[in-house]
Amino acid sequence: MLASKAADNKTNETRASSRYHVVALDLDGTLFRSNHTVSDETVDYLHYLYSRGVTIMIATGRAASSVYPTVIRLNHPKPIPVVCSNGSNGLLCKPNASEGSDVNVDELFSEHAPEAVARKTLKLATQLGCVMQYYHGNDICANPFQDKHYQLTTMYSNLTGAKTIYR
């Protein structure tokens, strides 16, 4: 019975890996565990899928710089396609073999809101008493002006591991 079940699982995995060519994963709530890390088992399984010809891709609202540690953790031999910054950046990211904590990045596309729109949005957020976090290149920036704003942006930094630059 157990041998039969193992054979069925193997057949299902073979069927799935020949049918699917890309697995696109979000980070928060999908690839990450509750402690915002990727388990060894997940890394192993993604390597298995990769060995079967499946492209592993990351799709996240996070800024590019907060994706790099995950790319390093996955350590795939070919670049990992990444769509980040709420869909405004497309990248190919590959761990730098000579630098254990660095990533080589090739930009595929970058479509940001015009600066005038961003400035108007920041002004409106300030008038409404809201903090706004935004991406500027690889940086995560914020316009806090109340204690609770600093608390919120600090919580985000703790959650993502990304440093916020205050402007």
Side-chain angles (χ1 to χ4, degrees):
M1 176 84 169
L2 234 91
S4 172
K5 196 168 200 160
D8 287 346
N9 285 341
K10 184 94 171 139
T11 301
N12 289 338
E13 283 185 16
T14 301
R15 238 186 256 134
S17 65
S18 64
R19 185 173 26 175
Y20 300 105
H21 302 285
V22 175
V23 173
L25 299 163
D26 187 12
L27 297 181
D28 299 300
T30 305
L31 188 60
F32 286 166
R33 297 181 285 190
S34 60
N35 65 355
H36 306 288
T37 62
V38 181
S39 71
D40 291 340
E41 294 82 8
T42 298
V43 171
D44 291 345
Y45 191 72
L46 293 177
H47 278 273
Y48 166 77
L49 289 176
Y50 177 80
S51 74
R52 308 284 296 158
V54 176
T55 299
I56 306 303
M57 177 179 176
I58 296 172
T60 182
R62 288 178 174 225
S65 58
S66 65
V67 176
Y68 301 155
T70 303
V71 170
I72 292 167
R73 172 84 170 104
L74 296 179
N75 195 29
H76 283 281
K78 289 189 177 177
I80 295 175
V82 174
V83 175
C84 58
S85 302
N86 292 317
S88 66
N89 283 352
L91 313 168
L92 285 176
C93 299
K94 185 175 186 321
N96 186 336
S98 63
E99 305 276 332
S101 62
D102 194 20
V103 174
N104 293 326
V105 179
D106 290 322
E107 186 174 84
L108 300 173
F109 66 86
S110 182
E111 295 291 329
H112 300 285
E115 185 175 340
V117 171
R119 289 191 184 283
K120 286 179 183 178
T121 305
L122 277 168
K123 184 177 178 180
L124 178 60
T126 301
Q127 289 170 350
L128 295 173
C130 300
V131 64
M132 188 169 126
Q133 281 191 269
Y134 56 96
Y135 304 128
H136 188 263
N138 277 331
D139 296 329
I140 299 172
C141 304
N143 68 330
F145 52 90
Q146 297 177 8
D147 286 342
K148 69 180 178 180
H149 296 161
Y150 286 98
Q151 292 169 352
L152 290 169
T153 56
T154 299
M155 286 171 53
Y156 182 80
S157 292
N158 291 339
L159 172 72
T160 64
K163 180 182 169 202
T164 300
I165 297 171
Y166 296 111
R167 300 193 177 207

